[in-house]
Amino acid sequence: MEYTLQKVITNKRLLGDIFTIEVSRPAGEIRPGQFFMLKAWNDELSLMRPISVYRFDEQTLTFMYRIIGKGTQWLSQLKRNDKIKLLGALGNGFPCEEVHGHIALVGGGVGIPPLYETAKKLTSLGNRVDVYLGYKDALFAFEEFEDVCDNIFISSEAGFEGYKGFITDLLHTENYDAVFTCGPLIMMKKIIDQCRQSNTPVWCSMEKHMGCGIGACLVCSCKTTLGMKRACKDGPVFNGNDLIFE
């Protein structure tokens, strides 16, 4: 797979250090929960940056990202009509066709964006979908889910809005036929533990540092009951019961 050169449509600050960038969509299928490798610099940084898909339609593709280093800082400086390199769509995405009934989506921080298209897909397949969104302080992007979910549950550790505490406090996995989650490892581990107790199927999207995005560099290896797996090639979505957290 080779990268494509796409055009920036918009690139705007959503809140604080969180941005959304909309670009022209490359050809090919995109599944909810997949990601792209992005690059908008020359030789200063050799590696592309992995970012999950936030939204897409027939013409455009949108990513949400947080500035955490030089690469994402450069992404934030892109303007309309600038060019950006994309490699993807990559990874397996969430298994939307494999679940049925009442589904819970649980996202924390920048693990929230890949759940939007996932919610849309699950709803279109006739499922009831509740979304649980956890934040440290200020809220973002929760309004997007109002038209694609049955219920929205919100928590913030700072307690400014919604429930004061962790989003896992609000989740009762025994009420659901399946759970999809993406976010901090400690959050996902708690959810897996809950799902094991309630015998609820659970899938986790692992956010890992990646060098290549195609399974060659092994930077994103995850420990599982089936041996070491690559988040970019074998994931990023894994059956929660297969993951080993240390």
Side-chain angles (χ1 to χ4, degrees):
M1 180 181 290
E2 296 183 354
Y3 70 77
T4 62
L5 199 60
Q6 303 299 322
K7 183 172 65 175
V8 174
I9 300 171
T10 63
N11 189 24
K12 54 189 178 183
R13 186 189 305 272
L14 184 62
L15 175 76
D17 58 357
I18 298 175
F19 286 70
T20 58
I21 183 168
E22 182 183 28
V23 303
S24 55
R25 176 178 170 169
E29 179 188 8
I30 302 175
R31 299 191 301 275
Q34 288 188 298
F35 69 95
F36 281 74
M37 301 294 287
L38 281 65
K39 187 175 182 179
W41 46 87
N42 295 318
D43 296 331
E44 294 89 347
L45 294 174
S46 59
L47 298 179
M48 306 179 84
R49 295 296 187 266
I51 302 181
S52 297
V53 173
Y54 176 30
R55 296 192 304 255
F56 62 86
D57 56 31
E58 293 183 357
Q59 303 295 326
T60 65
L61 173 62
T62 303
F63 302 95
M64 185 185 298
Y65 63 97
R66 169 174 278 143
I67 297 178
I68 55 175
K70 187 176 290 186
T72 45
Q73 179 66 51
W74 280 340
L75 280 181
S76 72
Q77 297 171 5
L78 292 175
K79 302 294 190 294
R80 180 177 176 84
N81 294 324
D82 284 346
K83 299 298 183 181
I84 184 170
K85 296 177 181 178
L86 300 183
L87 180 68
L90 302 171
N92 55 0
F94 284 105
C96 296
E97 291 81 4
E98 297 180 23
V99 299
H100 305 281
H102 196 186
I103 315 300
L105 306 182
V106 190
V110 289
I112 291 172
L115 299 182
Y116 174 72
E117 289 291 342
T118 305
K120 279 179 60 178
K121 181 66 174 180
L122 288 169
T123 299
S124 73
L125 293 172
N127 299 286
R128 292 173 58 205
V129 179
D130 292 345
V131 65
Y132 293 76
L133 307 177
Y135 303 86
K136 277 191 172 296
D137 38 55
L139 276 54
F140 58 87
F142 66 93
E143 303 98 332
E144 298 289 326
F145 290 89
E146 293 177 353
D147 294 332
V148 296
C149 294
D150 291 85
N151 297 289
I152 302 175
F153 301 91
I154 293 172
S155 74
S156 63
E157 295 176 41
F160 297 142
E161 298 181 73
Y163 170 78
K164 183 177 181 179
F166 300 110
I167 197 63
T168 48
D169 297 339
L170 301 179
L171 178 67
H172 298 282
T173 58
E174 66 273 13
N175 296 332
Y176 295 98
D177 296 297
V179 176
F180 291 170
T181 181
C182 183
L185 289 179
I186 189 171
M187 180 197 81
M188 295 199 293
K189 185 179 185 303
K190 288 182 180 179
I191 292 169
I192 290 172
D193 290 342
Q194 289 185 34
C195 286
R196 285 174 176 165
Q197 293 178 16
S198 62
N199 199 29
T200 305
V202 57
W203 283 266
C204 303
S205 180
M206 299 293 288
E207 295 185 327
K208 304 279 286 185
H209 292 293
M210 296 180 185
C212 67
I214 57 175
C217 69
L218 305 181
V219 170
C220 62
S221 293
C222 300
K223 191 173 184 179
T224 78
T225 58
L226 305 173
M228 299 301 294
K229 298 292 182 179
R230 300 159 297 179
C232 67
K233 194 72 173 180
D234 304 307
V237 179
F238 294 92
N239 187 311
N241 288 317
D242 293 336
L243 291 169
I244 297 175
F245 294 92
E246 296 180 335

